[in-house]
Amino acid sequence: MGNLFVISGSSGVGKGTVIKEFLNRHPEFKLSVSCTTRAPREGEVDGVNYFFLTKDEFKQRIENGDFLEWAEFSGNMYGTGKNYVQKTLNYGHNLILEIDTKGALNVKSIMPESKLIFILPPSMEELESRLRGRKTESEEAIQKRLESTKLEIENSKKFDYKVINDNLEQAVNDLEKILLGVH
Ligand code: 5GP
């Protein structure tokens, strides 16, 4: 069986970049592709970044029991496919889920052997400026994301590990130590 790692972090913390860099170094780790009802951002590809579903399609999958966990977040729904996770681990691959803290805690309750990792920004000011720098969302959406950050940080107290993304190289090194250290 492979190991299951769940990585969370506030939006704008750069967790996607840290994970991408880690995967460049360790292509033997797999990254789970979630389903979402939110619209694709510029450059995002269906089946690569997410499986983009309509609300009706998403609700159907909930009814079918297809999700290991799912959550509504900033008015959109996000879910992790149960089959994909089970098959990947059974094949012996290590798998990373990049999901929010609520979903992470749900996964931990279903699969207690999973390891939860939280990626922190160097400060709240830095997080806000990174979020604004992205220029892909409305002010309202940015405010929603900042509010949810407080809850995320509260939930992260129950996580197994924390990594601060101040310097990318250092954050990737820290993540590497955690992910390669678990057997
Ligand atoms: P974004 O819209 O920025 O891609 O993602 C918003 C939030 O949804 C992030 O915190 C991301 O980690 C989380 N997320 C993405 N996929 C899933 C999922 O399958 N389940 C849960 N619970 N959260 C997810």
Side-chain angles (χ1 to χ4, degrees):
M1 282 281 280
N3 296 306
L4 181 62
F5 299 97
V6 186
I7 304 183
S8 301
S10 323
S11 198
V13 76
K15 63 180 181 300
T17 313
V18 175
I19 294 170
K20 204 171 135 202
E21 191 53 40
F22 172 82
L23 290 171
N24 282 342
R25 292 188 196 177
H26 297 282
E28 73 278 13
F29 280 68
K30 306 281 172 211
L31 179 65
S32 171
V33 181
S34 295
C35 298
T36 184
T37 60
R38 85 148 163 73
R41 291 195 190 112
E42 182 79 37
E44 283 185 335
V45 177
D46 188 38
V48 176
N49 305 89
Y50 283 104
F51 293 105
F52 295 100
L53 304 181
T54 65
K55 280 213 160 139
D56 284 345
E57 286 169 336
F58 199 100
K59 283 178 187 158
Q60 188 60 54
R61 294 209 189 184
I62 295 173
E63 273 177 33
N64 295 347
D66 288 349
F67 293 124
L68 175 65
E69 64 75 39
W70 65 271
E72 194 159 352
F73 190 67
S74 295
N76 298 307
M77 294 156 112
Y78 297 84
T80 308
K82 199 188 279 176
N83 260 352
Y84 176 79
V85 169
Q86 277 166 356
K87 274 192 192 151
T88 308
L89 295 176
N90 286 343
Y91 277 127
H93 295 304
N94 290 324
L95 179 65
I96 297 173
L97 305 184
E98 185 191 336
I99 65 179
D100 84 303
T101 51
K102 200 172 130 201
L105 294 174
N106 283 339
V107 171
K108 186 80 173 181
S109 69
I110 301 164
M111 304 173 80
E113 68 283 10
S114 60
K115 299 291 176 212
L116 309 191
I117 301 135
F118 191 72
I119 302 192
L120 282 160
S123 68
M124 284 303 284
E125 290 76 21
E126 176 66 21
L127 180 70
E128 188 164 349
S129 89
R130 284 185 198 177
L131 218 45
R132 289 186 193 289
R134 204 152 73 176
K135 291 196 172 81
T136 51
E137 275 155 0
S138 66
E139 180 60 28
E140 197 195 339
I142 289 173
Q143 285 305 330
K144 265 195 187 169
R145 284 181 189 275
L146 286 173
E147 271 167 38
S148 67
T149 294
K150 287 180 196 153
L151 176 67
E152 298 266 297
I153 289 175
E154 187 58 33
N155 284 342
S156 78
K157 289 180 183 160
K158 297 183 192 133
F159 275 44
D160 300 299
Y161 304 96
K162 292 192 180 110
V163 170
I164 298 174
N165 185 20
D166 191 358
N167 168 279
L168 178 62
E169 174 87 13
Q170 187 58 50
V172 177
N173 289 344
D174 290 348
L175 187 64
E176 195 172 38
K177 273 190 210 132
I178 296 164
L179 268 55
L180 302 187
V182 173
H183 296 289

